[in-house]
Amino acid sequence: KQEVTQIPAALSVPEGENLVLNCSFTDSAIYNLQWFRQDPGKGLTSLLLIQSSQREQTSGRLNASLDKSSGRSTLYIAASQPGDSATYLCAVYTNAGKSTFGDGTTLTVKP
Amino acid sequence: NAGVTQTPKFRILKIGQSMTLQCTQDMNHNYMYWYRQDPGMGLKLIYYSVGAGITDKGEVPNGYNVSRSTTEDFPLRLELAAPSQTSVYFCASSDSGMHRTEAFFGQGTRLTVV
């Protein structure tokens, strides 16, 4: 059974700091991995989708990497801003579309 | 373009009551999903659909039913509500499946069973 772990559960950083969020999964036979952002009381917003054949994806200040063999993905946020405060979740998918979500990392960026 | 719309936003049910959570998307997506999210946890898949007339069970389907008569609508039915069904429910859609294309989520329905 696939298990997805996100450590730490919570992270607090000062504005302007670069930071890394971690996602690990136990079964490396994934089809892709997706990072989401969730604001309090809201739904999820897709940030980056990495296919299993890719090593990384970038969107603005966000960069997500994927190492299937080690069962790890990281989300790098450059020059963090208070508006980046949210919960970040990763999800892995099989080629049949079955999803497994991590419990998320709650990020607080202090002005 | 409204995206994915869920109603109601909040609901309190008594044990044993039934209700339907509504979900509509206006993006003509084939894939639609229902998830539940318990406090401090990730999302667990309840049911999903790959197109009108086709539905399948996810990880935690017990106590729920779905139907997909149109591309736009994917209602989730709770029969005989139980306290264990207290959760936040999210509907999502995707053009070719979340494992291939971007997923769009509704704002969620916060359900409390007392």
Side-chain angles (χ1 to χ4, degrees), chain A residues 80-96:
Chain A
S80 58
Q81 303 170 358
D84 294 330
S85 297
T87 297
Y88 292 81
L89 296 100
C90 69
V92 298
Y93 300 86
T94 67
N95 59 3

Side-chain angles (χ1 to χ4, degrees), chain B residues 52-100:
Chain B
I54 306 170
T55 63
D56 207 349
K57 296 178 180 179
E59 187 180 356
V60 289
N62 292 343
Y64 308 94
N65 278 298
V66 294
S67 60
R68 184 96 182 271
S69 58
T70 66
T71 299
E72 296 77 20
D73 300 308
F74 190 40
L76 177 71
R77 177 96 178 145
L78 278 72
E79 304 283 0
L80 298 174
S84 61
Q85 293 179 305
T86 294
S87 189
V88 181
Y89 291 84
F90 289 101
C91 177
S93 74
S94 177
D95 185 26
S96 303
M98 282 191 190
H99 55 308
R100 298 192 192 95

